[in-house]
């Protein structure tokens, strides 16, 4: 079964909540309807107390004006729907290795997510002769806004890894540096300042090309969306969950790569989606992770 969501209303974590509800319904349980969520801007300001005009001005200045975004939206960045083909590949790591990766990452002052991103960048460096590799990471805003798992609020932030011939030897230092970039962008004050800047730019009646222009400004090479260890149970009643693969998606950019990671039923699963004319990197990513975790 493939569940499809639009990021305007759901992210990967919301998709997992739907999977659990579906299992409960199939097991004969009654699923109570959800309430109407607050508007995100109302929630953001309720979580306030950390706004600064100076910080807001800096964020606002970093976002191009409407005319520039419309110009970017018209550039040849996008794939056509007609005859478009996407290649999908998968890989798995046993839970014992996933736990080892987590322990080693923590001992090196970084995270599993940063390690996965670093491994992807190094794989791209070797296979595609890349020196700079920009990765977009979703950010779960639920903890910042006091939302439950069944509500949805997410943001995407981009970090860049600068590679060298010694990148594999410096793997954990690169991972720490990348994680520090993301942590700075995840700070609640930075999130709220960005929200305010975007609210000025994107309204209910704005030109939809502005959203395309915003995506185009990010200039990312790949998206890595790691859901971590999922809380959804393996079995509800007589309904058993065999596996969850995802999340995965495509923004229809000419060059893009989406890596989704989810750990459930004692396995860490990876899924990669790329335009069919791009060579896959998932095998090289996994090989790099295995290499840096060797004794």
């Amino acid at each position: 079964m493939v569940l499809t969501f639009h990021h305007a209303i759901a992210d990967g974590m919301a998709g997992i909540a739907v999977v659990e509800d579906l299992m409960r319904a199939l097991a004969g349980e009654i699923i109570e309807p959800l309430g109407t969520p607050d508007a995100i801007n109302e929630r953001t300001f309720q979580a306030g107390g950390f706004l600064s005009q100076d910080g807001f001005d800096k964020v606002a200045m970093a976002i191009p004006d409407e005319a520039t975004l419309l110009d970017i939206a018209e550039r040849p960045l996008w794939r056509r729907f007609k005859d478009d083909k996407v290649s999908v590949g998968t890989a798995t790591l046993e839970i014992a290795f996933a736990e080892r990766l987590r322990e080693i990452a923590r001992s090196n002052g970084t995270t599993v997510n940063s390690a996965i991103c670093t491994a992807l960048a190094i794989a791209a460096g070797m296979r595609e002769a890349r020196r700079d590799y920009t990765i977009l990471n979703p950010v779960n805003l639920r903890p910042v806004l006091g939302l439950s798992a069944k509500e949805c609020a997410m943001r995407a932030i981009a970090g860049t890894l600068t590679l060298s011939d010694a990148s594999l030897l410096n793997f954990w230092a690169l991972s720490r540096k990348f994680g520090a970039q993301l942590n700075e962008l995840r700070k609640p004050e930075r999130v709220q300042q960005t929200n305010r800047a975007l609210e000025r730019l994107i309204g209910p009646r704005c030109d939809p090309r502005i959203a395309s222009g915003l995506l185009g400004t990010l200039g990312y090479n790949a998206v890595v969306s790691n859901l971590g260890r999922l809380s959804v149970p393996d079995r509800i009643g007589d309904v058993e969950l065999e596996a969850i693969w995802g999340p995965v998606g495509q923004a229809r950019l000419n060059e893009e790569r989406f890596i989704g990671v989810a750990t459930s039923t004692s396995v860490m699963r990876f899924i990669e989606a790329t335009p069919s004319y791009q060579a896959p990197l998932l095998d090289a990513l996994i090989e790099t992770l295995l290499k840096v975790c060797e004794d």
Side-chain angles (χ1 to χ4, degrees):
M1 177 182 293
V2 176
L3 300 177
T4 304
F5 301 89
H6 193 292
H7 268 163
I9 58 173
D11 62 355
M13 298 305 297
I16 298 303
V18 171
V19 168
E20 182 172 347
D21 278 355
L22 181 59
M23 291 176 67
R24 293 190 182 283
L26 291 172
E29 296 186 13
I30 296 175
I31 307 300
E32 297 295 334
L34 297 175
T36 303
D38 296 331
I40 187 65
N41 58 336
E42 293 177 9
R43 273 286 187 163
T44 300
F45 290 122
Q46 287 173 10
F50 42 73
L51 283 173
S52 75
Q53 186 61 41
D54 179 60
F56 166 69
D57 290 340
K58 288 179 181 178
V59 171
M61 285 189 296
I63 299 175
D65 59 26
E66 182 174 332
T68 302
L69 292 174
L70 291 174
D71 174 69
I72 293 171
E74 297 301 321
R75 294 176 188 174
L77 299 171
W78 320 100
R79 309 198 309 274
R80 298 171 56 198
F81 278 100
K82 185 178 180 182
D83 300 324
D84 186 51
K85 294 181 180 179
V86 176
S87 297
V88 177
T90 61
T92 60
L93 291 174
E94 294 302 318
I95 196 65
F97 177 80
E99 291 297 335
R100 175 167 170 73
L101 174 61
R102 182 171 287 103
E103 290 174 7
I104 294 175
R106 285 177 178 171
S107 69
N108 282 279
T110 186
T111 64
V112 169
N113 185 70
S114 292
I116 291 170
C117 291
T118 304
L120 175 60
I122 290 175
M126 293 187 294
R127 296 275 181 93
E128 302 175 350
R130 302 270 187 180
R131 286 299 182 184
D132 291 309
Y133 202 74
T134 300
I135 299 176
L136 199 67
N137 272 196
V139 179
N140 179 14
L141 298 184
R142 293 169 181 81
V144 175
L145 304 177
L147 299 175
S148 72
K150 293 195 175 184
E151 297 175 286
C152 181
M154 59 89 66
R155 172 65 48 74
I157 54 177
T160 300
L161 290 114
T162 299
L163 305 169
S164 69
D165 294 338
S167 289
L168 192 58
L169 294 174
N170 298 326
F171 182 92
W172 296 111
L174 277 173
S175 181
R176 282 194 300 273
K177 187 174 181 180
F178 181 77
Q181 284 185 59
L182 299 189
N183 288 338
E184 181 64 29
L185 296 172
R186 284 191 182 108
K187 288 182 177 178
E189 60 269 26
R190 185 65 177 265
V191 168
Q192 192 163 6
Q193 287 156 4
T194 304
N195 279 358
R196 287 183 58 189
L198 292 176
E199 284 167 15
R200 287 191 177 183
L201 195 62
I202 301 177
R205 294 179 178 82
C206 77
D207 190 321
R209 292 175 297 168
I210 291 176
S212 295
L214 279 168
L215 189 63
T217 64
L218 295 173
Y220 62 86
N221 303 108
V223 176
V224 172
S225 182
N226 177 18
L227 300 183
R229 185 186 290 275
L230 304 179
S231 59
V232 58
D234 296 347
R235 176 182 288 274
I236 297 176
D238 59 353
V239 179
E240 184 176 357
L241 178 65
E242 183 174 323
I244 290 180
W245 296 92
V248 67
Q250 287 282 280
R252 306 196 58 77
L253 290 165
N254 286 327
E255 292 189 13
E256 65 171 325
R257 188 178 308 278
F258 195 111
I259 305 288
V261 189
T263 303
S264 67
T265 60
S266 300
V267 178
M268 177 182 278
R269 296 181 175 85
F270 295 75
I271 185 166
E272 176 186 36
T274 65
S276 58
Y277 47 78
Q278 280 187 228
L281 289 178
L282 187 54
D283 60 337
L285 185 163
I286 298 296
E287 182 181 340
T288 302
L289 288 178
L290 292 172
K291 192 172 296 184
V292 298
C293 289
E294 289 175 350
D295 290 327

